[in-house]
Amino acid sequence: MVNPYDKANELAQVLKESSEFSELKNLHDQVNQDEVAKRMLDNFRNVQLELQQKQMQGEQITEEEIQQAQQQFELVQQHEVISKLMEAEQRMSQLITDINKAITQPLEELYGAGE
Amino acid sequence: MVNPYDKANELAQVLKESSEFSELKNLHDQVNQDEVAKRMLDNFRNVQLELQQKQMQGEQITEEEIQQAQQQFELVQQHEVISKLMEAEQRMSQLITDINKAITQPLEELYGAGE
Ligand SMILES: [Ca+2]
Ligand SMILES: [Ca+2]
């Protein structure tokens, strides 16, 4: 019987060697080596984070804040490398989500059925 | 290059065949075939869920509610099969957590370093 931990480590290794991961890493490095791009992305992420925290704490988010976030999003979208990085992050995030679904599927079956 | 999805499906299969999963499934089936045990566990879970929802909504949880939950926990702990099932769930949960850590570790390295 194969040890689940061994198989998980194999998967981790495959992920690390995947095109999805190396694209993400390349774009991440490119942004980090470009001071302007890095500041732009950091600003965007900080604003996103602040809004998320407000939302979680049930605080009101103003029209103005939503507009500002939207404008910042459009700004970073126009930066080619940042926009590509965000797309690569989306693909990686989807990949992790799909992997988690595959892993937890037997549990979902167990807990979804026969209740 | 191995496809991450193929490797994830392999891992899912290994998990499904693991002793951790088959123990969990056996105990789960045992409890579900025992009406008294099933009702006891359902009650316990409903109370836990209610308290969690209250907590998430920022509602006050009373001394009495905490005591009741504690008493119910002690009750289910005394039921051998339920107690074993809860232990098996804990082990499975730990296994899934460890697997997720292994999978996301390259991403943590990428996002933790060089900022
Ligand atoms: Ca684009
Ligand atoms: Ca026990």
Side-chain angles (χ1 to χ4, degrees):
Chain A
M1 201 191 279
V2 185
N3 183 328
Y5 285 98
D6 291 341
K7 201 44 106 173
N9 287 329
E10 276 178 37
L11 172 56
Q13 193 57 37
V14 166
L15 268 176
K16 213 168 169 173
E17 289 162 4
S18 67
S19 56
E20 285 88 347
F21 184 74
S22 62
E23 274 166 34
L24 180 61
K25 189 174 178 345
N26 281 341
L27 290 161
H28 188 264
D29 291 348
Q30 273 184 61
V31 168
N32 269 304
Q33 281 153 17
D34 179 338
E35 242 178 76
V36 176
K38 184 165 166 22
R39 204 174 325 129
M40 204 188 256
L41 185 57
D42 283 348
N43 279 341
F44 173 68
R45 290 211 160 124
N46 286 337
V47 168
Q48 294 287 103
L49 205 66
E50 266 175 49
L51 288 187
Q52 271 173 28
Q53 282 168 344
K54 275 198 172 180
Q55 223 161 11
M56 284 197 309
Q57 286 160 4
E59 277 177 57
Q60 192 69 38
I61 293 170
T62 65
E63 263 310 307
E64 210 191 328
E65 284 173 314
I66 294 172
Q67 267 185 18
Q68 278 178 349
Q70 182 60 32
Q71 279 168 4
Q72 267 203 318
F73 179 68
E74 282 162 18
L75 194 70
V76 292
Q77 279 295 303
Q78 283 162 25
H79 191 293
E80 202 187 339
V81 184
I82 296 180
S83 144
K84 278 184 182 165
L85 173 60
M86 286 166 70
E87 283 166 21
E89 285 173 343
Q90 275 283 293
R91 282 192 299 273
M92 179 54 74
S93 163
Q94 186 61 54
L95 181 55
I96 300 281
T97 302
D98 291 343
I99 289 172
N100 275 324
K101 257 189 221 156
I103 294 168
T104 53
Q105 194 238 332
L107 291 174
E108 308 258 318
E109 275 173 33
L110 186 57
Y111 282 89
E115 293 293 303
Chain B
M1 201 190 279
V2 185
N3 183 327
Y5 285 98
D6 292 342
K7 199 46 103 173
N9 287 329
E10 276 178 37
L11 172 57
Q13 194 56 37
V14 165
L15 267 176
K16 213 168 168 173
E17 289 162 3
S18 67
S19 57
E20 285 88 346
F21 184 75
S22 63
E23 272 166 35
L24 180 61
K25 188 172 179 349
N26 281 341
L27 290 161
H28 187 264
D29 291 348
Q30 273 184 62
V31 168
N32 269 305
Q33 282 153 17
D34 178 337
E35 244 177 74
V36 175
K38 184 167 168 18
R39 202 174 326 128
M40 205 188 254
L41 186 56
D42 283 348
N43 279 340
F44 173 68
R45 289 211 161 123
N46 286 338
V47 169
Q48 294 287 105
L49 205 66
E50 266 175 48
L51 288 187
Q52 270 173 28
Q53 282 168 343
K54 275 199 172 180
Q55 223 161 11
M56 285 197 308
Q57 287 160 3
E59 277 177 57
Q60 193 67 39
I61 293 168
T62 65
E63 264 309 309
E64 210 189 329
E65 284 173 315
I66 295 171
Q67 267 185 19
Q68 278 178 349
Q70 182 60 33
Q71 279 169 4
Q72 266 203 317
F73 179 68
E74 281 161 18
L75 194 70
V76 291
Q77 279 296 302
Q78 282 161 25
H79 190 293
E80 202 187 337
V81 184
I82 296 180
S83 143
K84 277 183 181 164
L85 173 60
M86 286 167 71
E87 282 166 21
E89 285 173 343
Q90 274 282 293
R91 281 194 299 273
M92 180 52 76
S93 164
Q94 185 62 53
L95 181 55
I96 300 281
T97 301
D98 291 343
I99 288 173
N100 276 323
K101 257 188 221 157
I103 294 169
T104 53
Q105 195 240 329
L107 291 174
E108 308 259 318
E109 274 172 34
L110 187 58
Y111 283 89
E115 294 291 307

